[in-house]
Amino acid sequence: MGLKIYLDGDLVDKDAAKISVFDHGLLYGDGVFEGIRSYNNVVFKLNEHISRLYESAHTIMLKIPLSKTQMSEAVIKTLQENGLKDAYIRLIVTRGVGDLGLDPRKCRKPSVIIIADKIVLYPEKFYEQGLKIITVPTTRNLAEALNPRIKSLNYLNNVLAKIEAVNAGYEEAIMLNSLGFVAECTGDNLFIIKKGTVYTPPQSMGILLGITRDVVIDLARKLHISVKEQILTRYELFNADEAFLTGTAAEIIPVVCIDGRQIGSGSPGQISLKLLQAFKKATENDGTKYNF
Ligand code: PXG
């Protein structure tokens, strides 16, 4: 039996899960999304992801045709239908079918899509050896133009940065903001550690407020490690003792080299690994349980 996709209230076969070429999600990137994970029949931080989705939608004045509870139930149903214990879940809400003009008033009904599939993990060597990353020329979207807190279907900003990293032979890119301060990576938030304190750029730098970022900040504080949301330049990155990235897909990936400068010892750092361990533990129970 093939994968079943939730599409506007129905669970349909993958091959039948199609949307219109007039959907403004396709024509204009007009929509919002979430990336969520489940671990051993628990959807990690489901409520937080649903809240962020609804805030993104509210900000772009897109009314999701389901309540938050109904949306959570739809996610669980999709997981159950596909018999997935461990999954990567993509929630998408588009403006819906309109005409060729921008005018969202032509889009009468938003589309809701839920894809739950097997999780594709990053290669183990990323975690063991750490990543080498670079800063790219493309800066993060100006918050005044398109606030990075909106997880919109318009991800070209990040896609361009990713292309620049890949062209240079790297897996991930550091994006600065328009003032030259460190913002985040293309699909992950960035942290450094210096003299035992964990630092990450504040929301005002123009970042997506990552759910993994929040979890890591909480875990660090519980472990009595000091955490500061602070403006960072590349100088602070280069001279950090440790660095790591956080994201739903990546969890916590150590970084060992930035723009050719070795970070700390050049191997994943002790505090990063301690946080990764604590994170793994948190994923065991911190979410919404489901059964088959
Ligand atoms: N920053 C940006 C710009 C993101 O898109 C994160 C940080 C991490 O947020 P969470 O809430 O996941 O801790 C993201 C995550 C992927 C992928 O396949 C990830 C994201 C979007 C699209 C793909 O890794 N968003």
Side-chain angles (χ1 to χ4, degrees):
M1 208 184 63
L3 206 64
K4 295 272 193 202
I5 312 290
Y6 177 99
L7 181 58
D8 296 327
D10 298 318
L11 281 154
V12 299
D13 285 334
K14 183 183 169 185
D15 292 339
K18 303 252 163 66
I19 61 153
S20 165
V21 293
F22 288 96
D23 192 301
H24 281 208
L26 174 70
L27 289 175
Y28 299 113
D30 186 356
V32 294
F33 77 104
E34 273 300 319
I36 315 174
R37 269 177 87 162
S38 75
Y39 295 88
N40 194 27
N41 290 51
V42 177
V43 189
F44 186 58
K45 296 278 175 189
L46 178 59
N47 294 336
E48 287 77 359
H49 282 281
I50 299 276
S51 289
R52 187 170 66 184
L53 181 78
Y54 278 71
E55 282 200 7
S56 290
H58 179 69
T59 308
I60 69 162
M61 291 186 262
L62 171 60
K63 174 125 184 49
I64 300 177
L66 299 176
S67 68
K68 287 188 190 178
T69 307
Q70 288 171 326
M71 186 64 89
S72 296
E73 285 166 2
V75 168
I76 301 292
K77 201 169 126 191
T78 309
L79 286 163
Q80 288 169 331
E81 188 77 14
N82 288 290
L84 290 160
K85 283 165 71 87
D86 297 276
Y88 187 79
I89 305 149
R90 176 61 53 94
L91 249 169
I92 306 153
V93 185
T94 75
R95 188 77 65 181
V97 175
D99 63 19
L100 289 180
L102 275 176
D103 191 346
R105 289 175 301 185
K106 299 281 168 60
C107 307
R108 304 240 316 279
K109 195 168 123 303
S111 257
V112 179
I113 302 161
I114 305 171
I115 307 168
D117 205 350
K118 288 198 192 71
I119 173 88
V120 181
L121 299 173
Y122 285 108
E124 192 51 36
K125 72 165 205 253
F126 287 7
Y127 298 88
E128 285 162 6
Q129 298 167 12
L131 270 188
K132 297 180 177 185
I133 61 177
I134 56 158
T135 312
V136 294
T138 295
T139 60
R140 197 69 176 94
N141 277 331
L142 266 182
E144 297 77 10
L146 179 58
N147 197 314
R149 283 190 70 177
I150 306 168
K151 210 163 159 61
S152 86
L153 294 181
N154 205 313
Y155 247 54
L156 202 47
N157 181 217
N158 308 55
V159 171
L160 287 176
K162 182 86 174 184
I163 290 170
E164 288 165 351
V166 170
N167 283 349
Y170 293 83
E171 291 293 330
E172 193 38 292
I174 296 171
M175 303 179 77
L176 307 178
N177 65 18
S178 61
L179 300 173
F181 296 117
V182 176
E184 59 180 333
C185 292
T186 68
D188 296 295
N189 291 110
L190 179 66
F191 286 75
I192 60 167
I193 297 161
K194 181 78 170 180
K195 295 196 166 82
T197 296
V198 175
Y199 297 90
T200 195
Q203 182 201 301
S204 58
M205 291 299 97
I207 59 172
L208 180 85
L209 279 183
I211 287 164
T212 318
R213 175 184 181 276
D214 275 350
V215 172
V216 167
I217 291 172
D218 281 353
L219 287 173
R221 290 190 173 139
K222 282 197 187 110
L223 291 166
H224 306 290
I225 300 166
S226 132
V227 183
K228 291 188 176 142
E229 293 181 64
Q230 190 170 296
I231 294 176
L232 301 173
T233 65
R234 292 166 72 230
Y235 182 94
E236 279 85 44
L237 304 190
F238 298 155
N239 293 289
D241 300 326
E242 301 181 30
F244 61 86
L245 311 181
T246 66
T248 294
E251 300 179 323
I252 297 177
I253 294 191
V255 170
V256 294
C257 181
I258 297 176
D259 296 332
R261 282 78 160 183
Q262 178 176 303
I263 304 304
S265 65
S267 307
Q270 284 311 309
I271 298 177
S272 306
L273 294 175
K274 199 168 160 183
L275 288 169
L276 175 55
Q277 224 174 29
F279 183 82
K280 290 261 184 216
K281 228 176 150 45
T283 61
E284 287 169 15
N285 45 40
D286 198 350
T288 305
K289 193 149 177 55
Y290 59 97
N291 288 304
F292 299 127

